[in-house]
Amino acid sequence: MTAATATMTAMGAERTDGSSTQGWSAAMSTALESATAIGRRFAAGDEQALAEIYGQWSSLVYSLALRSLGNATDAEDVTQKVFVSAWRGRERFDPERATVSAWLVGITRHTIADMHESRARERRLAEQAAAFAPEESVPSAEVDLADRLLIADEIARLDPIPRTVVHLAFYDDLTHVQIAERLDLPVGTVKSHIRRSLSKLRGRLEVSHGPAS
């Protein structure tokens, strides 16, 4: 008798007496009931359930984010956003139709996609700023964390109308004509706001990185 045959025979014997199968089924049933119970508590607004879910699944969320984004800081940011989003949207979670883990993975995928899109917007902003001074050493291919903070800070410093124009152009991907129609502004004014705002951004990046040697 081969080892494989012996193993299968032993498994057959266990199924015959039912003890191993019953034990496994009982364990699975208990685990599913426990997961469903936590899901119900979570959906009902139990903060302790949130803490338990975070302790059990935050490492998975972080690993998925890190694998996709390749940056620990961004992965930590995604992890925080996922659980904040889950908590705020807990009323939409139905523990009778989905598991907590599957629901969290879905939120994680959307949050990672949002982070990639945010990176793309920041690159476009930096590239537009660099276009105003190609001779300067302004990074355009990659935008590191410090540059991203500078970009966000400079946008926040803009006056209300220029800030709105920049957000519509680079965060909502509207054309100059669409922005002009939405804000009831001449197209030339929209272009001027964008040009001046990018010039300010370029100046901040130059101060941060220094001129080319």
Side-chain angles (χ1 to χ4, degrees), residues 77-107:
D77 190 27
V78 165
T79 301
Q80 179 180 353
K81 288 180 178 180
V82 165
F83 283 93
V84 169
S85 178
W87 179 248
R88 289 177 176 171
R90 61 188 180 277
E91 293 181 356
R92 297 192 299 271
F93 172 63
D94 184 354
E96 309 301 330
R97 300 182 62 182
T99 63
V100 171
S101 59
W103 191 56
L104 288 174
V105 168
I107 297 175

Side-chain angles (χ1 to χ4, degrees), residues 126 129 138-139 147 150-151 201-210:
V138 179
D147 289 338
L150 282 173
I151 290 170
L201 173 59
R202 175 197 52 125
R204 289 291 300 277
L205 289 174
E206 287 176 3
V207 170
S208 174
H209 291 271

Side-chain angles (χ1 to χ4, degrees), residues 13-112:
E14 290 176 349
R15 285 196 297 270
T16 300
D17 61 32
S19 59
S20 177
T21 301
Q22 290 174 1
W24 181 84
S25 298
M28 285 297 295
S29 178
T30 300
L32 289 173
E33 289 174 1
S34 177
T36 302
I38 292 176
R40 288 174 182 153
R41 289 165 48 211
F42 173 78
D46 186 339
E47 293 185 2
Q48 182 58 40
L50 171 62
E52 293 174 20
I53 288 171
Y54 182 87
Q56 186 171 1
W57 298 109
S58 60
S59 59
L60 172 62
V61 172
Y62 176 83
S63 297
L64 291 173
L66 183 62
R67 185 182 308 163
S68 178
L69 299 168
N71 180 281
T73 299
D74 286 346
E76 291 171 359
D77 190 27
V78 165
T79 301
Q80 179 180 353
K81 288 180 178 180
V82 165
F83 283 93
V84 169
S85 178
W87 179 248
R88 289 177 176 171
R90 61 188 180 277
E91 293 181 356
R92 297 192 299 271
F93 172 63
D94 184 354
E96 309 301 330
R97 300 182 62 182
T99 63
V100 171
S101 59
W103 191 56
L104 288 174
V105 168
I107 297 175
T108 300
R109 288 173 176 166
H110 285 296
T111 307
I112 289 172

Side-chain angles (χ1 to χ4, degrees), residues 91-167:
E91 293 181 356
R92 297 192 299 271
F93 172 63
D94 184 354
E96 309 301 330
R97 300 182 62 182
T99 63
V100 171
S101 59
W103 191 56
L104 288 174
V105 168
I107 297 175
T108 300
R109 288 173 176 166
H110 285 296
T111 307
I112 289 172
D114 289 343
M115 179 64 76
H116 279 299
E117 178 58 27
S118 177
R119 284 179 169 183
R121 288 193 297 263
E122 289 158 357
R123 282 195 295 271
R124 290 198 297 270
L125 276 168
E127 288 165 357
Q128 289 283 350
F132 282 86
E135 73 279 3
E136 299 291 346
S137 177
V138 179
S140 60
E142 293 295 334
V143 183
D144 62 22
L145 178 60
D147 289 338
R148 291 162 56 191
L149 292 174
L150 282 173
I151 290 170
D153 182 61
E154 184 57 43
I155 291 176
R157 289 169 180 262
L158 296 173
D159 291 335
I161 292 179
R163 183 169 61 246
T164 300
V165 169
V166 169
H167 269 280

